[in-house]
Structures are given as C-alpha cells and as structure tokens.
C-alpha cells in the first residue's frame, strides 16, 4: 500500500491494515460527454423556486463529478459550506467523503455526487416531506442520465428516500438493495458528518465501502 492511501485511511481514523485489496482498475476516470439534457436540467435547478427554499439559499447545489460514473454518491442536502460554494460535500464532511472514496481507489472527480435536496434548509434542519417531493424529480433525472452501476446512499435521509423506507440506518446497512426500474444496486452507509461526530463508526463505513468495491467488480 502506498503512503498516499495510508494517509487517506488515517484521515478516516482507520488502521491501514484494514485495506485488503487494491481496486485501482475501478478508478479509471472517463471523459464527460456533452449532453444538452444536462444543461437543461442544470438551468431548471438553478432557477427553481418550487419549494420555497430559494428564499433562504445562497445558491442551488446541483451536483458534481463524472456524468459517466460507475458510482453515484447521494447525500441529504447542502449545508452551510455547500450553500456558500455551490458544490455538494465540501468542508470537513466533504473532505472525509473524499478520503473515504480515495481509500477504495476512487478519485472524487471520477464519481458523481448529488443530494436529495438542491437547496440548503435553514439551519440545516431535516428536509420537509413537501420539499423532498418537489425536489427529488431532479435527482431522479440525474440518476437516469448518469446510469451508474451502483448507488451509494450516505445517511438516513438519502437512504429513506431512495429505498422508500423508514428503517434505521443500522438495519439498512450490510445488504445490497435495488433502486428504480433499472434495479440499480444500492448500498447504504453513514453520512460523513455523522462519522465526524461518531468516529467509532468509521470502521463500519469502511466495511460498506469495501462492499462497494466488491459490487463494482461483479457488475
Ligand atoms: Fe427547487 Fe429543490 Fe431548491 Fe426546492 S430545494 S427550490 S425544489 S431546487
């Protein structure tokens, strides 16, 4: 294992010996094709006022990454840093997500990252059901355009929407679910913001990420 990966694992609070397999073959980054559907969708989101969160947002946070990605990471909603910078998963939680991905051989810009909600709820409160209903068609369109081989739901809110479930995160981990009419495999793990507060669970998150590797090697 090279020193860079060891540093990534240390950043996650995980002992280096736990990374058992290299998956560099999965991390190849493909060129992004141009797609007018993407431009139309982005423009629609950037001007959206449907649920009222436009009144308190700095800017919508559309999504970022490789639109041909094998792996799509889906979180909850923008927080303070994301709202300021216009990109999902930045700040300390974003740095941890990047480290988690790099620990399994993925550079951040080789996956696609998006949220359930495109605009920050005030004071980072949970998304309201009406907001989720109005915003998630944008996410569903993003998933349809990317057509990932695997979805990684990070955190309770994302998992509950994608799986139409109210089960606890603990119940939803450690199994492969499917999403949508294409039956896209889906794995659930902890949100990096949760892991920052509960570092004892980082090793469980790493186990989830190893499951991601195994799934992508077989799909
Ligand atoms: Fe529109 Fe979604 Fe933003 Fe609400 S959260 S204003 S539905 S883009």
């Amino acid at each position: 294992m090279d020193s860079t990966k060891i540093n990534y694992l240390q950043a996650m609070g995980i002992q280096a010996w736990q990374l058992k397999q290299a998956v560099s073959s999965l991390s190849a980054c493909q060129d992004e094709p141009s797609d007018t559907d993407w431009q139309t969708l982005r423009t629609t989101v950037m001007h959206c006022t449907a649920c009222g969160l436009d009144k308190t947002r700095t800017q919508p946070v559309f999504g970022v990454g490789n639109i041909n990605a094998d792996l799509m990471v889906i979180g909850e909603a923008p927080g303070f840093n994301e709202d300021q910078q216009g990109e999902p998963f930045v700040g300390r939680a974003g740095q941890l997500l990047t480290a988690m991905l790099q620990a399994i051989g993925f550079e951040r810009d080789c996956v696609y990252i998006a949220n359930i909600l495109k605009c920050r709820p005030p004071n980072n409160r949970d998304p309201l059901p009406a907001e989720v209903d109005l915003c998630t068609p944008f996410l569903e369109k993003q998933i349809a355009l990317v057509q990932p081989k695997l979805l990684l739901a990070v955190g309770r809110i994302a998992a509950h929407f994608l799986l139409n479930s109210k089960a606890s995160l603990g119940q939803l981990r450690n199994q492969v679910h499917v999403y949508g009419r294409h039956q896209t495999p889906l794995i659930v793990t902890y949100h990096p913001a949760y892991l920052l507060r509960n570092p004892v669970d980082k090793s469980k998150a790493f186990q989830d990420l190893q499951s991601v590797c195994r799934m992508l090697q077989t799909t």
Side-chain angles (χ1 to χ4, degrees):
M1 183 185 311
D2 61 39
S3 60
T4 305
K5 281 188 177 172
I6 291 173
N7 289 339
Y8 295 148
L9 289 171
Q10 287 175 339
M12 292 175 62
I14 293 170
Q15 291 176 320
W17 55 264
Q18 289 181 278
L19 183 60
K20 294 179 178 173
Q21 54 186 335
V23 289
S24 57
S25 62
L26 296 174
S27 62
C29 186
Q30 302 171 14
D31 291 335
E32 295 185 8
S34 62
D35 190 325
T36 52
D37 283 344
W38 277 106
Q39 282 304 325
T40 301
L41 182 60
R42 177 183 289 275
T43 300
T44 303
V45 169
M46 299 311 282
H47 293 91
C48 181
T49 60
C51 77
L53 286 178
D54 60 297
K55 295 180 178 65
T56 51
R57 74 188 179 204
T58 302
Q59 58 191 319
V61 178
F62 179 72
V64 70
N66 176 10
I67 60 174
N68 293 315
D70 287 344
L71 176 62
M72 187 164 172
V73 179
I74 299 174
E76 174 181 331
F80 174 81
N81 292 304
E82 290 78 12
D83 175 70
Q84 293 290 308
Q85 297 182 37
E87 180 171 333
F89 287 98
V90 293
R92 287 182 65 220
Q95 289 168 8
L96 179 56
L97 176 66
T98 299
M100 292 164 66
L101 293 170
Q102 288 172 326
I104 57 167
F106 282 90
E107 293 302 324
R108 178 184 167 101
D109 59 3
C110 289
V111 307
Y112 194 85
I113 305 172
N115 281 318
I116 297 291
L117 285 193
K118 307 308 184 196
C119 302
R120 182 194 182 204
N123 302 313
N124 292 350
R125 63 159 168 73
D126 284 354
L128 301 176
E131 294 165 350
V132 173
D133 286 345
L134 288 165
C135 200
T136 46
F138 298 137
L139 175 70
E140 289 166 343
K141 181 68 174 175
Q142 287 174 306
I143 296 171
L145 289 172
V146 175
Q147 297 183 38
K149 291 180 179 176
L150 179 66
L151 293 166
L152 178 64
V154 293
R156 170 180 56 90
I157 301 290
H160 283 180
F161 167 71
L162 291 166
L163 298 175
N164 191 26
S165 168
K166 294 297 182 190
S168 71
L169 200 77
Q171 291 171 314
L172 296 173
R173 288 184 56 249
N174 293 319
Q175 53 186 307
V176 179
H177 309 271
V178 292
Y179 167 82
R181 64 186 177 92
H182 295 300
Q183 299 283 285
T184 305
L186 185 153
I187 287 175
V188 174
T189 193
Y190 297 102
H191 195 287
Y194 167 86
L195 294 173
L196 289 173
R197 298 189 301 271
N198 301 275
V200 68
D201 283 333
K202 286 182 179 177
S203 59
K204 293 182 189 172
F206 189 60
Q207 291 168 8
D208 298 333
L209 293 171
Q210 289 179 307
S211 297
V212 167
C213 284
R214 283 193 293 274
M215 281 301 302
L216 288 174
Q217 286 171 328
T218 58
T219 55

